[in-house]
Amino acid sequence: MRRTRNKVVWKSPAELPPEVAAAPRLRPFVYRFSSEAALPEWMSTPPEPGDPFVLKTPLNTLLTDAGVEQPVHPYLVPGWWAGTLPSGTLAVYVGPVRTPDRGSNVVHLRHTFLVGATVYIVPDLNTLQPL
């Protein structure tokens, strides 16, 4: 795009420099979870950063495709058979994080937990139990 005296002139892809024309666009990352509204009883008094939890069920890191924007933190979701993080694993509450739903103006409040040395977003809080 180049400006000429209060006029905007759009360049065709053929006129763009090769590094700009060849740069692939990433698809937005969108995670929808069907039972997000079902909060566990312990959420009646929200946890504070540093509160300890354990995983009630085995969880896996949600894998994203190569052409998709990466979320701010990896997501932990229930495993189909055996999770890479077994039940009973310690998780420490870090706090909420706001993640935009790309393609719309919706912003989701997600809860993050430190498991091992990584901060994860856990969309299904029913997979955790406070200590």
Side-chain angles (χ1 to χ4, degrees):
M1 176 174 78
R2 94 193 140 196
R3 287 189 111 183
T4 56
R5 289 196 167 203
N6 300 329
K7 231 169 114 176
V8 175
V9 178
W10 295 99
K11 289 186 175 186
S12 71
E15 295 177 291
L16 294 174
E19 62 275 4
V20 174
R25 297 234 178 207
L26 296 176
R27 291 190 321 268
F29 174 81
V30 177
Y31 181 73
R32 290 195 172 47
F33 179 62
S34 61
S35 63
E36 278 182 300
L39 291 175
E41 290 181 23
W42 56 261
M43 275 300 286
S44 59
T45 57
E48 294 185 14
D51 285 350
F53 288 81
V54 291
L55 302 183
K56 285 178 19 180
T57 59
L59 298 176
N60 286 320
T61 304
L62 179 69
L63 300 175
T64 56
D65 295 331
V68 175
E69 240 178 66
Q70 295 300 308
V72 64
H73 298 293
Y75 278 62
L76 272 184
V77 295
W80 288 99
W81 50 95
T84 54
L85 295 170
S87 58
T89 301
L90 180 66
V92 178
Y93 184 70
V94 175
V97 65
R98 297 188 187 285
T99 59
D101 189 357
R102 305 283 194 243
S104 73
N105 294 328
V106 177
V107 176
H108 299 282
L109 182 69
R110 305 279 190 206
H111 295 279
T112 57
F113 293 83
L114 178 67
V115 182
T118 307
V119 175
Y120 293 99
I121 294 174
V122 181
D124 185 1
L125 298 176
N126 293 299
T127 60
L128 296 159
Q129 176 179 341
L131 283 178

